[in-house]
C-alpha cells in the first residue's frame, strides 16, 4: 500500500531576484508543509524578507517557480497570493490606522447584504468571533491607530484567517512585543499549526525558533545554506555559526572590567526625585539615581514601567509635566530641544526608528552625517569631505550591509537600518549615550558587534544609559541595573547581584 505523501502547501524552487544589478537571492528553494512551523533565519540583509515578499506577491522573482499545493502559481500581486491562500504579516505592519479593526479585517472583501450594501452586522459578528479566538480583548470597532503593536498583529492575523489563508508568513512578529505578548503569539502559532496551517516564522530570537519551530532554513548572502529539523540543531550558537559561515563566539564581558561603578570616576548624570505626570497617572514617580563616567547603567522593567519616559526626560523631550531635577556633569539642566541636549554631549537612540530614526529617502551618507553636522567647524562643502572618510569608517565599524553610501536608507534591510541609527550617533562622539531598545531586529552576530562598540565607548569614558526589555542584553552590558515597576524604582542591582530571575521578580507588580 502506498502512503499518501501530501504535497507541500508551498514549494518554491530556484528563486532568484536582484535589485540594481546586485543579486539579493540566488536560486533559493523553500517549502512549507501543512501543520508545521518553518523558521527562516539569517543575518540582517540575508534576504529573508525578500524571499517572503516573493511568496506574498510583492516582488516578482527573476527566475524560479512557485507551486501552491502542487500547482504552479503566478503570484503577481498581493491579491494573487491571498487567492492562493498565502498571507504575509510584514516587518512593517500594513493596516489602515484610520479604520477600525473590523474594517481592516474585511478591507476589500466586505460581505454584502442582498441589496449589495456592506453587511456591517455580519462583519462585526464574524470579526468578533475570529478576534475572540485570538485572545483580542479590545473593542473591534476601535480605530487601529490607537491599538498597541501586539493588538495590531492580532488584527493582521484575524484578517488572514477571514481570508481563509492556508499559509501564514510572519516576518519578525515578536521584535516589538512584550514578553507576555510574545508568549501569547507563540502559543497562538501552535494552535494554528494544529489546525493544519503552514506557518513561516522569521526571527532573530533564536530561543523562539527552538521553542516553536519544526524545521529551520538558514539563509546567508541570498543563498540557502541548509534546511533541517530543529531537533537536529545542536545549539543556538551552532545555528548562528551557520548563519555567518564561521564559528561564532557569543559575546562576553570580562569581569576584570567590572564594576566601574565602584571606581573613583565622577558622576555624569544625576536624577533626583523625578516624577512625570501623564494624563491619568504618574508615568514615573519619585525616581532617583546617578550614573558615573564610563558606566553602563541599565533600565529594566515591563512595557509601560517608565524606562523610555526616564530617558526622554533626561534628553529634554518628555511630553509630561515634570517634577524633580536632572543634573548633567554637575549642573542642573533641563534641555528645551534636542539641539541643546546634543550640544551638551548627549545622544539619544530612540526605540521607534520609523518615527525619529532616519530620513528614509535620503542616502546612507546623509543619514550618517546628519547628527554630526552641527559639530564640525568649517564651510558646508569642506565639511562634507572631511566627514566622508568618517562615514565610510563608521559604516564598516557598525557592519551596515550596503552596496554604496549613496543608496537610500529605505533600501537597507530592517536590522541594517537599526545599525545605521546607532552608528550615526556613535559618530557624534557623545559623552552621554542614551539607548532605548537599541538592538531590536538586529541579528545575533551584529548584536555582538554593537555590544562591543557600546563597551568600547564606555571604556573610553562615555556614560551609557540603556533601556531594554531583553534581560540578557542588560546583564551582559551593564555595571548596574535599575528595575522600574509601574513608574517606581524598585531597586538598583550591582553587577555582582545580577540574576535573570531576580530581575523578572522585581519587575512584576
Ligand atoms: N526594494 C529593494 N531595493 C533595493 N535593495 C533591496 C530591496 N529590497 C531588499 N533589498 C536588499 O536586499 C538585501 C536583503 O534584504 P532583506 O530585507 O530581504 O533582508 P532580511 O534578511 O530580511 O534582513 P533583516 O533581518 O535586517 O530584516 C538587502 O541587502 C537589501 O538592501
Ligand atoms: Mg527582514
Amino acid at each position: 500500500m502506498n502512503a499518501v505523501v501530501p504535497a507541500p502547501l508551498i514549494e518554491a524552487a530556484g528563486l532568484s531576484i536582484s535589485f540594481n544589478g546586485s543579486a539579493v537571492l540566488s536560486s533559493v528553494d523553500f517549502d512549507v508543509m501543512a501543520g508545521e512551523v518553518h523558521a527562516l533565519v539569517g543575518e540582517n540583509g540575508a534576504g529573508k524578507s525578500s524571499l517572503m515578499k516573493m511568496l506574498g506577491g510583492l516582488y516578482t522573482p527573476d527566475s524560479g517557480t512557485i507551486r501552491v499545493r502542487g500547482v504552479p502559481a503566478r503570484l503577481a500581486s498581493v491579491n494573487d497570493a491571498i487567492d492562493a491562500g498565502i498571507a504575509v504579516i510584514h516587518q512593517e505592519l500594513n493596516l489602515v490606522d484610520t479604520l477600525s479593526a473590523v474594517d481592516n479585517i474585511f478591507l476589500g472583501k466586505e460581505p454584502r447584504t442582498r441589496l449589495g450594501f456592506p453587511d456591517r452586522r455580519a462583519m462585526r459578528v464574524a470579526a468578533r468571533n475570529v478576534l475572540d479566538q485570538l485572545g483580542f480583548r479590545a473593542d473591534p470597532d476601535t480605530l487601529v491607530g490607537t491599538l498597541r503593536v501586539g493588538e495590531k498583529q492580532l488584527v493582521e492575523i484575524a484578517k488572514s484567517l477571514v481570508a481563509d489563508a492556508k499559509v501564514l508568513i510572519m516576518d519578525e512578529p515578536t521584535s516589538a512585543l512584550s514578553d507576555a505578548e510574545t508568549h501569547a503569539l507563540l502559543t497562538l502559532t501552535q494552535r494554528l499549526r494544529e489546525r493544519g496551517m503552514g506557518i513561516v516564522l522569521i526571527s532573530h530570537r533564536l530561543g523562539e525558533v527552538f521553542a516553536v519551530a519544526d524545521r529551520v532554513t538558514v539563509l546567508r548572502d541570498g543563498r540557502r545554506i541548509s534546511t533541517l529539523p530543529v531537533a537536529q540543531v545542536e545549539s543556538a550558537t551552532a545555528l548562528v555559526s551557520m548563519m555567518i559561515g564561521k564559528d561564532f563566539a557569543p559575546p562576553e564581558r570580562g569581569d576584570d572590567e567590572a564594576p566601574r561603578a565602584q571606581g573613583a570616576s565622577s558622576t555624569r548624570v544625576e536624577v533626583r526625585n523625578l516624577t512625570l505626570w501623564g494624563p491619568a497617572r504618574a508615568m514615573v514617580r519619585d525616581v532617583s539615581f546617578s550614573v558615573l563616567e564610563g558606566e553602563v547603567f541599565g533600565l529594566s522593567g515591563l512595557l509601560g514601567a517608565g524606562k523610555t519616559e526616564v530617558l526622554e526626560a533626561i534628553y529634554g523631550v518628555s511630553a509630561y509635566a515634570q517634577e524633580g531635577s536632572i543634573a548633567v556633569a554637575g549642573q542642573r539642566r533641563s534641555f528645551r530641544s534636542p539641539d541643546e541636549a546634543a550640544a551638551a554631549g548627549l545622544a539619544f537612540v530612540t526605540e521607534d526608528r520609523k518615527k525619529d530614526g532616519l530620513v528614509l529617502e535620503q542616502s546612507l551618507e546623509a543619514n550618517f552625517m546628519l547628527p554630526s553636522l552641527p559639530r564640525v567647524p568649517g564651510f558646508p562643502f569642506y565639511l562634507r569631505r572631511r566627514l566622508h572618510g568618517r562615514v565610510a569608517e563608521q559604516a564598516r565599524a557598525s557592519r551596515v550591509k550596503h552596496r554604496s553610501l549613496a543608496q537610500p536608507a529605505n533600501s537597507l534591510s530592517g536590522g541594517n537600518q537599526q545599525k545605521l541609527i546607532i552608528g550615526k550617533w556613535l559618530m557624534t562622539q557623545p559623552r552621554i549615550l542614551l539607548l532605548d531598545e537599541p538592538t531590536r531586529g538586529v541579528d545575533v552576530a551584529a548584536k555582538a558587534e554593537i555590544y562591543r562598540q557600546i563597551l568600547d565607548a564606555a571604556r573610553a569614558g562615555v556614560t551609557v544609559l540603556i533601556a531594554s526589555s531583553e534581560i540578557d542584553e542588560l546583564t551582559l552590558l551593564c555595571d548596574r541595573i535599575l528595575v522600574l515597576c509601574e513608574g517606581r524604582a524598585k531597586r538598583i542591582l550591582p553587577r555582582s547581584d545580577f540574576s535573570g530571575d531576580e530581575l523578572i521578580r522585581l519587575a512584576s507588580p
Side-chain angles (χ1 to χ4, degrees):
M1 207 172 69
N2 280 336
V4 183
V5 180
L9 292 176
I10 300 184
E11 189 172 19
L15 292 186
S16 299
I17 191 168
S18 44
F19 291 103
N20 310 311
S22 56
V24 163
L25 288 166
S26 316
S27 193
V28 171
D29 299 341
F30 188 79
D31 64 354
V32 187
M33 308 297 292
E36 78 158 345
V37 177
H38 190 160
L40 180 61
V41 301
E43 289 186 277
N44 296 130
K48 305 179 295 296
S49 296
S50 302
L51 178 57
M52 293 306 120
K53 283 177 183 166
M54 293 198 279
L55 301 183
L58 272 158
Y59 289 173
T60 308
D62 299 338
S63 58
T65 56
I66 298 173
R67 288 169 176 272
V68 178
R69 273 161 285 171
V71 181
R74 219 177 78 84
L75 307 174
S77 69
V78 176
N79 278 332
D80 285 356
I82 290 172
D83 290 345
I86 304 170
V88 186
I89 300 182
H90 293 283
Q91 227 164 339
E92 315 287 348
L93 297 176
N94 257 332
L95 297 167
V96 184
D97 279 350
T98 50
L99 293 180
S100 70
V102 178
D103 289 336
N104 266 284
I105 291 170
F106 287 99
L107 193 63
K109 44 187 184 308
E110 295 86 355
R112 302 273 158 184
T113 61
R114 256 176 301 167
L115 295 175
F117 296 111
D119 187 347
R120 300 213 43 94
R121 230 179 60 86
M123 275 161 62
R124 197 168 291 125
V125 170
R128 186 69 268 178
N129 180 23
V130 181
L131 288 168
D132 276 348
Q133 293 174 41
L134 300 178
F136 182 90
R137 305 263 167 269
D139 179 354
D141 287 318
T142 318
L143 292 189
V144 159
T146 64
L147 296 176
R148 299 170 11 75
V149 184
E151 294 169 328
K152 289 186 188 177
Q153 274 170 340
L154 293 182
V155 174
E156 289 257 27
I157 294 173
K159 200 170 149 179
S160 59
L161 291 181
V162 164
D164 201 21
K166 303 286 186 289
V167 176
L168 179 63
I169 297 172
M170 298 192 279
D171 196 347
E172 295 190 41
T174 62
S175 65
L177 299 188
S178 69
D179 283 349
E181 288 171 323
T182 299
H183 184 76
L185 184 72
L186 295 179
T187 309
L188 175 61
T189 306
Q190 304 294 62
R191 287 223 314 274
L192 297 176
R193 166 175 65 187
E194 280 156 23
R195 283 200 205 171
M197 260 183 136
I199 293 167
V200 180
L201 174 70
I202 299 182
S203 182
H204 292 295
R205 296 183 169 175
L206 301 183
E208 289 172 12
V209 171
F210 285 96
V212 302
D214 301 291
R215 288 192 297 160
V216 57
T217 287
V218 179
L219 283 185
R220 187 199 315 149
D221 284 333
R223 291 173 196 281
R224 187 182 67 134
I225 299 303
S226 178
T227 297
L228 73 175
V230 170
Q232 283 177 22
V233 184
E234 225 167 85
S235 63
T237 307
L239 198 54
V240 179
S241 297
M242 287 165 75
M243 284 159 53
I244 63 179
K246 57 182 185 235
D247 280 345
F248 173 70
E252 291 174 13
R253 179 177 164 162
D255 273 338
D256 49 316
E257 302 165 23
R260 268 182 290 272
Q262 288 163 10
S265 49
S266 59
T267 298
R268 273 287 190 61
V269 177
E270 180 157 27
V271 172
R272 278 281 149 256
N273 307 107
L274 180 69
T275 296
L276 298 171
W277 291 104
R281 62 184 180 95
M283 312 301 288
V284 169
R285 194 184 277 271
D286 204 24
V287 168
S288 300
F289 61 88
S290 52
V291 190
L292 303 175
E293 180 175 329
E295 186 179 18
V296 183
F297 188 82
L299 298 169
S300 185
L302 303 175
L303 219 77
K307 308 186 293 278
T308 298
E309 288 76 8
V310 168
L311 294 181
E312 286 174 348
I314 296 172
Y315 201 64
V317 292
S318 180
Y320 305 114
Q322 187 171 325
E323 285 169 19
S325 69
I326 293 167
V328 172
Q331 266 187 2
R332 192 170 167 165
R333 302 296 298 257
S334 117
F335 301 117
R336 276 160 307 182
S337 70
D339 281 349
E340 235 178 73
L346 277 78
F348 188 13
V349 174
T350 57
E351 69 178 327
D352 187 351
R353 69 169 165 247
K354 231 182 171 179
K355 200 169 92 222
D356 32 26
L358 295 171
V359 191
L360 283 170
E361 52 291 339
Q362 292 225 28
S363 70
L364 302 194
E365 178 160 63
N367 274 286
F368 263 118
M369 282 183 183
L370 214 54
S372 296
L373 285 177
R375 265 175 276 174
V376 183
F379 293 117
F381 58 89
Y382 168 62
L383 180 159
R384 254 188 125 62
R385 208 164 7 144
R386 182 179 326 176
L387 276 175
H388 186 83
R390 280 193 26 217
V391 167
E393 206 176 290
Q394 187 64 54
R396 251 195 318 279
S398 295
R399 302 229 299 205
V400 175
K401 188 178 175 193
H402 63 289
R403 276 175 285 109
S404 126
L405 287 172
Q407 82 187 81
N410 58 15
S411 67
L412 290 181
S413 75
N416 282 297
Q417 292 183 11
Q418 184 66 12
K419 293 186 228 168
L420 164 51
I421 294 174
I422 298 179
K424 72 173 187 178
W425 284 111
L426 283 173
M427 224 180 90
T428 66
Q429 301 181 308
R431 294 174 55 83
I432 297 168
L433 181 59
L434 310 177
L435 302 166
D436 197 1
E437 304 288 354
T439 62
R440 191 174 271 173
V442 172
D443 69 59
V444 177
K447 245 183 196 175
E449 198 60 35
I450 289 175
Y451 294 160
R452 196 184 55 70
Q453 289 188 31
I454 293 172
L455 291 174
D456 279 353
R459 226 168 278 132
V462 176
T463 296
V464 181
L465 276 82
I466 172 172
S468 175
S469 48
E470 283 188 43
I471 286 181
D472 293 346
E473 177 161 287
L474 293 176
T475 54
L476 177 77
L477 290 173
C478 297
D479 296 294
R480 292 182 298 152
I481 299 175
L482 164 65
V483 185
L484 292 166
C485 176
E486 296 177 342
R488 290 173 192 274
K490 273 289 226 1
R491 237 175 88 195
I492 297 178
L493 293 176
R495 193 170 171 78
S496 53
D497 291 357
F498 285 0
S499 98
D501 290 345
E502 181 67 356
L503 286 166
I504 291 169
R505 197 185 61 75
L506 286 169
S508 324

